[in-house]
Amino acid sequence: MLKDGDELKHDLSLTSDASPTESDVIHPSELTEPPATSEAPLPKNAFSVLLSSSKDLSKKRPLPPSSSTDPPDPTKRTHPPNWRGCLLPYLTFPHIYPPTTVLRHTPSFVTIFDAFPKATIHLLLLPRDPTVNTLHPILALNTHPSLLSSSKSEVQILTPLVQKELRRRFGHLSKTQIAHTSSPDTVPERIYPLKIGIHAHPSLTHLHIHIITPDMSSPSLKHNKHYNSFTTPFFIPLEDFPMAEDDYRRKHPGRDEESGEVYLKGDMRCWRCGRNFGNKFKALKEHLEKEKEEWLAE
Amino acid sequence: MLKDGDELKHDLSLTSDASPTESDVIHPSELTEPPATSEAPLPKNAFSVLLSSSKDLSKKRPLPPSSSTDPPDPTKRTHPPNWRGCLLPYLTFPHIYPPTTVLRHTPSFVTIFDAFPKATIHLLLLPRDPTVNTLHPILALNTHPSLLSSSKSEVQILTPLVQKELRRRFGHLSKTQIAHTSSPDTVPERIYPLKIGIHAHPSLTHLHIHIITPDMSSPSLKHNKHYNSFTTPFFIPLEDFPMAEDDYRRKHPGRDEESGEVYLKGDMRCWRCGRNFGNKFKALKEHLEKEKEEWLAE
DNA sequence: GAATCATAAC
DNA sequence: GAATCATAAC
Ligand SMILES: Nc1ncnc2c1ncn2[C@@H]1O[C@H](COP(=O)(O)O)[C@@H](O)[C@H]1O
Ligand SMILES: Nc1ncnc2c1ncn2[C@@H]1O[C@H](COP(=O)(O)O)[C@@H](O)[C@H]1O
Ligand SMILES: [Zn+2]
Ligand SMILES: [Zn+2]
C-alpha cells in the first residue's frame, strides 16, 4: 500500500511529461464545498462527488453535454451488454466530462471519481496507452516498467490533491491538524493514509488503479465482496510492483479461481481495530461509521 | 388518508383519558436539533431518530438501560424466532426506552419511532389493549368502535407534534412557511400532509398504525414492496374506518393472497407526479430525493 | 419485519 | 461492475 508522504513525493510542477489541459487542475477557487461534519448540501467543486454513488445521494452524476455524437453516460445502463468496457468513454473523451466526474487528464492518464465510491474518497487512475491498458493489471504492471513508473509519478501528483481535499473537509475534526493550525512551525500537517492499488481480478476491462481512503464508509459499499476486495490480499498495493519472481500473486488468482474467491467470501475484519465481523455486514457498516469518526479525529 | 388540519383537530389538553407520564411530552427545550438542509450532526431530542434506520446512519438505536431483567432491544436479532412479536417489549415496558425510541406513552397507547423508517418521519402508534391489539387490524378497527375512536383521538395529539417538528426542521425551506413568518396574521402556517393508516397484511403481530410523511425518502426504504406498501391500496387510511359493509378490503387481502401481492409487486409510481417507474427501484429512489426537495419548498 | 446469499440479464 | 428478484433462517 502506497502511503502519501513516501519518498516519491515531489513537487507538482516537476511531474507531468505534458502540460495538463485547462481543466486538469483543481483551482482553489473551485474548492467551495464547506467543511462538513456530516455531508454538506450541494457541493460544486471537482472533489464534490466523493462520498457515495450519485444514485444513492440523488446527486446525479453529471452527464456529458448532450449531443448525438457524445458517448453515453458510462454510469447509466444504456450500453450493456458491453458493461465491462464502461471505462472506455472516459479514456476516449475525457474532456467532455465535468470536473466532478473527470478530476484530471493528461495525454497518459485520466483520473476519475469512482461512480460507486467505496469510501470517503475513491478515485480511479486510468492509464491511456491502449497497448497495455487492456492487459491483466498484474501482468501489465509487472512487465511494463514505463507503465509502472509513469503510474507512480501520476500518483505523486494526485495524492497531494487528495490530502488537500481531506484536510479541507475534515481537518477541523483532526487533533493533529488542529495542533498544526495552532503551531504550524512545530506540528506538521496531518497526512491521511491512502490505499493505492489494483484488484487481483478486476471486473472492468480497462486498467484502473484505485486511490481510496481506508475508511470503507460509503453508501455504495453494499456487500462483503465490496469490503473484502479492498481489505484482503485481493487488493494489491501499487508499491508491491514489480513483484518478486516467486510472488504467489503473479498467478493473479481471480474471483473465478478458488484462491481469489476465498478472499472475497471470507470473514470481514475491521480495517482499523481488526475485529472479526464474520458475515455480519450490517453490523460492520455500523461499526465503520464509528471508526471513521474516530479516525478523522486522530 | 387522514390529513392534519382535519375537523377532528382539537387541543392537546382535551385529549387524553389519562395524564401522560413524565416523559410523554416533548418539551420545547428538548427540540435542540438544528434545522437542517441535509442531515444535521448528532441530534438529541425525541424527534431525532426520524430519518433512516439507526443501522444505516450508525446512530445506534438507544438500548434500554441494561440489566438482566430488561427485555432485549427489539431491533436486534437477539430474540427470534419470535420476530413477529418484536413490538411487544414497547407495549410492556414503554418507560424503559429513551424518548428517541418511545415518543410518548399513555395507559392506552405507546407511540414509537419506527426502527426502519420509510420516510422522513415515521411513527408507529401501538394500542395497548391486549384484548384487541393482536386481532387483524382490519377486523379490529372495523368491529371495535372504542379502539377506533381512541386511536383517532391519540392521532389528534400526535399530528400537531409532527407538524411542529416538520416546521422546525424544514420550515425554513418552505415558501408557505416563510410567507407565514413574514405575515403571521394573513398567511397561515404550512400544514404538511401525513399518511396515517395500516397495512392490509402486516408482518408484525401487534396492531400498529403508521404515521408517516408522504415523501418515501429514506435509506431504510430498500425495495419495491416497501414503497408499494405505503402508496397503493395495500395501505388503508385510518379515516376509512369503519368500512362500509361491502368494502372489498374487509376481505383483508394480504401478501399471501393474490389481491394483496398484486399491489406489492406492481409497478411503482411516484407519489407526487404519478410517473411510472415500473420496477426501476434505484431510478425511483433518485427521483424521490428530488421530489422531497421540491415538496419541502412548497 | 430485516439480513445474508445466490442468480439472471444488462 | 450494478440492479432486480427469489430464497433461507432468524
Ligand atoms: N461507469 C462507471 N464509471 C466509473 N466507475 C465505475 C463505473 N462502473 C463501475 N465503476 C467502478 O469501477 C470499479 C471496478 O472495480 P474492479 O473491476 O473490481 O477494480 C469499482 O470501484 C466500481 O465502483
Ligand atoms: N424492532 C422494531 N422496532 C420498531 N419498528 C420495527 C421493528 N421491526 C420492524 N419495525 C417496523 O414495523 C413496521 C412493520 O410493518 P408492517 O407489519 O408491514 O406494518 C415496519 O415499518 C418496520 O420498519
Ligand atoms: Zn474497528
Ligand atoms: Zn415524481
Side-chain angles (χ1 to χ4, degrees):
Chain A
M1 193 188 324
L2 214 167
K3 301 282 175 64
D4 190 49
D6 282 355
E7 56 292 350
L8 284 175
K9 192 172 188 176
H10 53 76
D11 191 78
L12 193 154
S13 58
L14 303 176
T15 17
S16 201
D17 53 359
S19 300
T21 61
E22 190 200 344
S23 66
D24 284 351
V25 176
I26 301 178
H27 299 287
S29 64
E30 294 178 322
L31 299 177
T32 54
E33 185 184 353
T37 37
S38 63
E39 287 318 297
L42 290 187
K44 304 247 185 193
N45 68 74
F47 261 108
S48 64
V49 196
L50 297 176
L51 221 196
S52 112
S53 104
S54 39
K55 307 210 164 186
D56 284 310
L57 287 197
S58 90
K59 292 177 208 152
K60 203 168 185 174
R61 193 170 179 80
L63 294 172
S66 67
S67 129
S68 56
T69 58
D70 284 338
D73 177 4
T75 279
K76 293 299 173 189
R77 211 102 351 327
T78 47
H79 59 126
N82 191 27
W83 61 266
R84 283 186 187 274
C86 69
L87 298 179
L88 182 57
Y90 301 118
L91 292 164
T92 316
F93 311 104
H95 50 282
I96 71 169
Y97 294 95
T100 46
T101 300
V102 171
L103 172 60
R104 176 184 150 87
H105 58 101
T106 69
S108 301
F109 293 95
V110 178
T111 303
I112 66 172
F113 291 96
D114 193 291
F116 307 93
K118 304 305 188 292
T120 296
I121 291 186
H122 188 179
L123 305 178
L124 299 179
L125 171 59
L126 316 177
R128 299 181 78 172
D129 181 352
T131 67
V132 298
N133 77 357
T134 55
L135 298 173
H136 190 288
I138 297 179
L139 179 67
L141 292 167
N142 270 327
T143 62
H144 291 79
S146 70
L147 171 71
L148 179 59
S149 71
S150 64
S151 295
K152 286 181 173 174
S153 290
E154 184 68 11
V155 161
Q156 293 312 310
I157 296 175
L158 294 169
T159 51
L161 300 181
V162 175
Q163 292 299 329
K164 200 161 139 191
E165 177 68 2
L166 285 166
R167 289 180 194 130
R168 192 184 64 75
R169 287 175 58 192
F170 304 111
H172 63 294
L173 303 173
S174 166
K175 190 164 66 85
T176 300
Q177 193 63 14
I178 291 168
H180 164 78
T181 304
S182 304
S183 316
D185 296 334
T186 54
V187 181
E189 292 217 276
R190 175 163 183 191
I191 295 172
Y192 295 89
L194 298 175
K195 301 179 77 163
I196 299 169
I198 59 163
H199 281 164
H201 188 82
S203 295
L204 304 184
T205 301
H206 296 90
L207 208 164
H208 50 282
I209 298 166
H210 297 271
I211 300 175
I212 188 170
T213 50
D215 53 281
M216 296 294 114
S217 178
S218 166
S220 292
L221 191 107
K222 293 182 175 175
H223 52 69
N224 56 351
K225 292 183 181 180
H226 282 158
Y227 185 77
N228 283 336
S229 75
F230 288 99
T231 58
T232 69
F234 190 87
F235 187 85
I236 305 180
L238 187 61
E239 63 184 359
D240 288 5
F241 291 95
M243 290 170 172
E245 280 306 325
D246 62 347
D247 193 306
Y248 72 101
R249 295 169 296 181
R250 281 187 182 259
K251 295 175 288 182
H252 47 82
R255 72 167 44 190
D256 303 324
E257 303 170 47
E258 227 174 88
S259 46
E261 194 72 336
V262 155
Y263 293 134
L264 296 179
K265 288 193 169 178
D267 286 359
M268 292 174 287
R269 287 163 204 278
C270 175
W271 64 276
R272 192 158 178 269
C273 73
R275 181 170 153 197
N276 187 341
F277 283 81
N279 68 346
K280 301 300 180 231
F281 183 74
K282 296 293 176 184
L284 170 67
K285 289 274 285 187
E286 191 171 347
H287 180 76
L288 290 175
E289 296 293 320
K290 281 181 287 194
E291 290 287 29
K292 178 186 174 183
E293 203 169 338
E294 287 184 29
W295 174 66
L296 288 175
E298 280 181 9
Chain B
M1 193 187 325
L2 214 166
K3 303 282 175 66
D4 191 47
D6 282 354
E7 57 291 350
L8 282 173
K9 191 170 189 176
H10 54 76
D11 192 78
L12 194 152
S13 58
L14 302 175
T15 18
S16 201
D17 53 0
S19 301
T21 61
E22 189 199 344
S23 64
D24 284 349
V25 176
I26 301 177
H27 298 287
S29 64
E30 293 178 321
L31 300 176
T32 54
E33 186 185 353
T37 40
S38 63
E39 285 321 293
L42 290 187
K44 304 244 185 194
N45 67 75
F47 261 108
S48 64
V49 196
L50 297 176
L51 222 197
S52 112
S53 105
S54 42
K55 307 210 163 185
D56 283 311
L57 287 198
S58 89
K59 291 177 208 151
K60 202 169 185 173
R61 193 172 180 83
L63 293 172
S66 65
S67 130
S68 56
T69 58
D70 284 337
D73 177 3
T75 279
K76 294 298 176 192
R77 212 116 325 358
T78 45
H79 59 129
N82 192 25
W83 61 267
R84 284 186 188 273
C86 69
L87 298 179
L88 183 57
Y90 302 118
L91 292 163
T92 315
F93 311 103
H95 50 282
I96 70 169
Y97 294 96
T100 46
T101 300
V102 171
L103 171 62
R104 176 184 152 86
H105 58 101
T106 70
S108 303
F109 293 95
V110 178
T111 303
I112 66 172
F113 290 96
D114 193 291
F116 307 92
K118 304 305 188 294
T120 297
I121 291 185
H122 188 178
L123 305 177
L124 298 179
L125 171 60
L126 315 178
R128 298 181 79 171
D129 180 352
T131 67
V132 297
N133 75 358
T134 56
L135 297 175
H136 190 288
I138 296 179
L139 180 67
L141 292 167
N142 270 327
T143 62
H144 292 78
S146 70
L147 170 70
L148 180 60
S149 71
S150 64
S151 295
K152 286 181 173 174
S153 290
E154 184 67 11
V155 161
Q156 293 312 310
I157 297 175
L158 295 168
T159 51
L161 300 181
V162 175
Q163 292 299 329
K164 199 161 140 191
E165 177 68 2
L166 285 167
R167 289 181 193 128
R168 193 184 64 76
R169 286 175 59 193
F170 304 111
H172 64 294
L173 303 173
S174 166
K175 191 165 67 83
T176 300
Q177 194 63 16
I178 291 167
H180 164 78
T181 305
S182 304
S183 316
D185 296 333
T186 55
V187 181
E189 292 218 279
R190 176 163 182 190
I191 295 171
Y192 295 89
L194 298 175
K195 300 179 79 162
I196 299 168
I198 59 163
H199 282 163
H201 188 83
S203 295
L204 304 184
T205 301
H206 296 89
L207 207 164
H208 50 282
I209 297 166
H210 297 272
I211 299 175
I212 187 169
T213 50
D215 53 282
M216 297 293 112
S217 178
S218 166
S220 292
L221 190 107
K222 293 182 175 175
H223 53 70
N224 55 351
K225 291 182 181 180
H226 282 156
Y227 185 77
N228 283 336
S229 75
F230 290 99
T231 57
T232 70
F234 190 85
F235 187 84
I236 305 180
L238 186 61
E239 62 182 359
D240 289 5
F241 290 95
M243 291 172 172
E245 281 304 326
D246 62 345
D247 193 307
Y248 71 102
R249 294 169 297 183
R250 281 188 181 258
K251 294 176 291 184
H252 46 81
R255 71 167 42 189
D256 303 324
E257 302 170 48
E258 226 174 88
S259 46
E261 193 73 334
V262 154
Y263 293 134
L264 296 179
K265 288 192 167 178
D267 286 358
M268 292 174 286
R269 289 164 203 276
C270 175
W271 64 276
R272 194 157 177 268
C273 74
R275 181 170 153 195
N276 187 341
F277 283 80
N279 67 345
K280 301 299 179 227
F281 183 74
K282 296 292 176 186
L284 171 68
K285 289 275 284 185
E286 191 171 345
H287 180 76
L288 290 175
E289 296 293 320
K290 281 181 289 193
E291 289 288 29
K292 177 185 176 185
E293 203 169 338
E294 288 184 28
W295 174 66
L296 289 174
E298 280 181 8

